[in-house]
């Protein structure tokens, strides 16, 4: 599979972008990682997600909070379903959640989460907007472009929970081939966000200069699973890179192209940046609080993802979470307290903004 897009530029110019394809081998491509970021591993002094005190980002101990909601709308009354979805997201924002995670491909009848989140960006102002997607359902160029667009329209609040291909229901144990493909997908995705430097676009009508040619960088990735020339035909996202969470234990290190790793359900959380708390729609608040308390003290995740296991939560279930469970956990300093800090998701989480390619080259 291949694709060619015209680059934005002065009239009469074009460039090849986003050519991608697949192959049948299982090696991992060695594209450059992102300098200056440490993934959210637990138990070190460099843990991402530890409470920040500078810049007014957040104070107090405890994990960050993501609330996962399915992007399900009733086919018979889609506007009513959208209203309920919007209300749930606004409830999570008012309760001080750092982000909402909108699930799509793993929920029957769900819509495409990136498109629904773009609509929700106009109804919200502070909460992060994270799309839950599987790598095998996308080409990296297409997902990079959609998430960069979401980051622009939301004012720097976009993120992605990138699922391993084996995360679908009934899938066997992940194969080495599937894992290698997912890791190559991740590196291509983040590499495409570095197609332009931060100050690339000039938009000067007098000189006719749209962007500075030296600030454009082709990816020219040729791996066993993808061939992507790049560059991405959109400006660098406001966050540099939207926040990335992976569902598998991707290789760690200072150049790892992700921010958090999600611990599998029931697995120990040490060495991972995020853990899932499944919540029953009718579960009493006391039981939810106790399970959350045990998870947070035993696994010590940097991020807690509160997920309603029974599908879209009814309003009472969400109110139990926001009105009873979260205040108790914050009082015990197991969750970071809600704050009015910056609107950008990276700033709220205390994550460093990745440098563009020219800045990294100068620093090296």
């Amino acid at each position: 599979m291949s694709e060619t897009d015209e680059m934005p530029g002065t009239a009469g110019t074009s460039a090849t972008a986003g050519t991608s394809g697949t192959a049948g081998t299982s090696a991992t491509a060695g594209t450059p990682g992102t300098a200056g970021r440490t993934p959210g591993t637990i138990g070190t002094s460099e843990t991402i997600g530890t409470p920040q005190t500078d810049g007014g980002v957040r104070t107090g101990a405890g994990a960050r909070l993501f609330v996962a909601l399915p992007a399900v709308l009733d086919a018979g009354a889609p506007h009513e379903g959208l209203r309920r979805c919007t209300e749930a997201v606004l409830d999570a924002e008012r309760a001080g959640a750092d982000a909402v995670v909108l699930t799509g491909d793993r929920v029957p009848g769900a819509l495409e989460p990136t498109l629904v989140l773009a609509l929700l960006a106009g109804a919200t102002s502070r909460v992060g907007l994270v799309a839950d997607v599987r790598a095998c359902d996308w080409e990296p160029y297409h997902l990079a472009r959609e998430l960069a667009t979401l980051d622009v329209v939301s004012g720097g609040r976009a993120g992605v929970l990138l699922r391993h291909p084996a995360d679908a229901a009934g899938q066997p144990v992940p194969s080495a081939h599937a894992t290698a493909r997912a890791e190559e997908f991740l590196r291509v995705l983040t590499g495409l966000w570095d197609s332009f430097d931060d100050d690339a676009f000039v938009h000067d009508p007098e000189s006719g200069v749209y962007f500075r040619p030296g600030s454009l960088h082709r990816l020219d990735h040729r791996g066993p699973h993808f061939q992507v020339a790049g560059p991405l035909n959109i400006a660098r996202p406001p966050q540099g890179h939207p926040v990335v969470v992976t569902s598998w234990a991707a290789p760690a290190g200072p150049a790892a192209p992700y921010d958090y790793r999600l611990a599998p359900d029931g697995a120990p959380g040490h060495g991972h940046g995020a853990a899932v708390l499944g919540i029953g729609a009718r579960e009493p608040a006391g039981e939810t609080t106790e399970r959350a308390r045990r998870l947070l003290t035993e696994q010590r995740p940097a991020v807690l993802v509160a997920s309603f296991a029974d599908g879209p939560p009814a309003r009472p279930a969400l109110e139990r979470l926001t009105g009873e469970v979260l205040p108790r956990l914050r009082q015990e300093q197991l969750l970071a307290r809600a704050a009015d800090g910056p609107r950008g998701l990276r700033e709220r989480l205390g994550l460093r903004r990745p440098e563009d390619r020219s800045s990294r080259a100068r620093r090296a």
Side-chain angles (χ1 to χ4, degrees):
M1 180 182 297
S2 66
E3 60 191 32
T4 303
D5 290 300
E6 286 193 350
M7 281 298 308
T10 55
T13 62
S14 64
T16 303
T19 307
S20 60
T22 59
T25 59
S26 60
T28 303
T31 54
T34 302
R37 278 200 296 170
T38 303
T41 51
I42 304 302
T44 72
S45 61
E46 294 297 322
T47 300
I48 280 184
T50 47
Q52 302 292 309
T53 56
D54 55 330
V57 174
R58 177 141 0 221
T59 58
R64 314 292 179 163
L65 174 68
F66 289 11
V67 176
L69 302 166
V72 177
L73 305 184
D74 186 348
H79 293 292
E80 176 62 19
L82 180 60
R83 184 187 65 80
R84 288 196 299 269
C85 181
T86 303
E87 287 178 351
V89 171
L90 287 171
D91 283 345
E93 181 175 62
R94 285 189 289 265
D98 292 289
V100 292
V101 181
L102 216 59
T103 60
D105 58 354
R106 296 174 299 112
V107 181
L111 300 179
E112 173 50 52
T114 58
L115 299 181
V116 178
L117 287 171
L119 184 61
L120 293 171
T124 57
S125 61
R126 293 187 180 278
V127 71
L129 303 171
V130 178
D132 183 340
V133 300
R134 284 190 304 159
C136 60
D137 293 337
W138 291 80
E139 292 293 334
Y141 186 90
H142 295 150
L143 186 59
R145 182 171 168 81
E146 289 213 11
L147 290 170
T149 301
L150 177 61
D151 207 40
V152 171
V153 301
S154 66
R157 294 185 284 138
V160 61
L161 198 174
L162 192 63
R163 295 278 180 178
H164 192 283
D167 282 355
Q171 288 286 330
V173 175
S175 66
H177 171 88
T179 299
R181 186 184 186 280
E183 291 177 1
E184 185 178 344
F185 183 105
L186 175 59
R187 293 191 179 277
V188 173
L189 178 74
T190 54
L192 284 168
W193 287 328
D194 291 334
S195 294
F196 285 96
D197 291 340
D198 291 325
D199 58 353
F201 286 85
V202 179
H203 301 293
D204 185 356
E206 293 185 5
S207 65
V209 176
Y210 185 54
F211 69 90
R212 296 183 296 103
S215 66
L216 183 151
H217 309 282
R218 290 170 60 93
L219 185 62
D220 287 327
H221 172 87
R222 299 187 65 84
H225 305 285
F226 302 101
Q227 291 82 50
V228 184
L232 194 67
N233 60 348
I234 189 172
R236 196 164 191 252
Q239 296 183 98
H241 295 180
V243 172
V244 177
V245 184
T246 67
S247 74
W248 71 94
Y258 63 89
D259 299 295
Y260 300 109
R261 293 183 294 178
L262 190 67
D265 292 346
H270 298 291
H272 297 271
V276 175
L277 174 69
I279 303 173
R282 296 178 176 83
E283 183 178 53
E287 292 183 17
T288 304
T289 303
E290 182 55 37
R291 288 196 304 106
R293 183 183 292 118
R294 187 164 56 249
L295 185 153
L296 290 166
T297 54
E298 293 178 0
Q299 297 187 211
R300 294 182 289 124
V303 169
L304 178 69
V305 182
S307 176
F308 289 88
D310 300 335
R315 197 67 180 270
L318 194 55
E319 287 176 348
R320 281 196 297 274
L321 174 68
T322 60
E324 300 180 56
V325 177
L326 300 185
R328 295 179 191 176
L329 297 175
R330 288 184 176 123
Q331 186 176 20
E332 298 175 26
Q333 295 191 334
L334 296 173
L335 280 183
R337 67 176 177 82
D340 293 331
R343 295 173 183 265
L345 182 55
R346 282 192 171 277
E347 293 177 285
R348 287 179 65 88
L349 296 172
L351 300 175
R352 292 183 295 275
R353 186 181 187 276
E355 294 179 302
D356 60 27
R357 286 178 62 173
S358 291
S359 297
R360 294 202 302 269
R362 287 193 296 269
R363 186 167 54 82

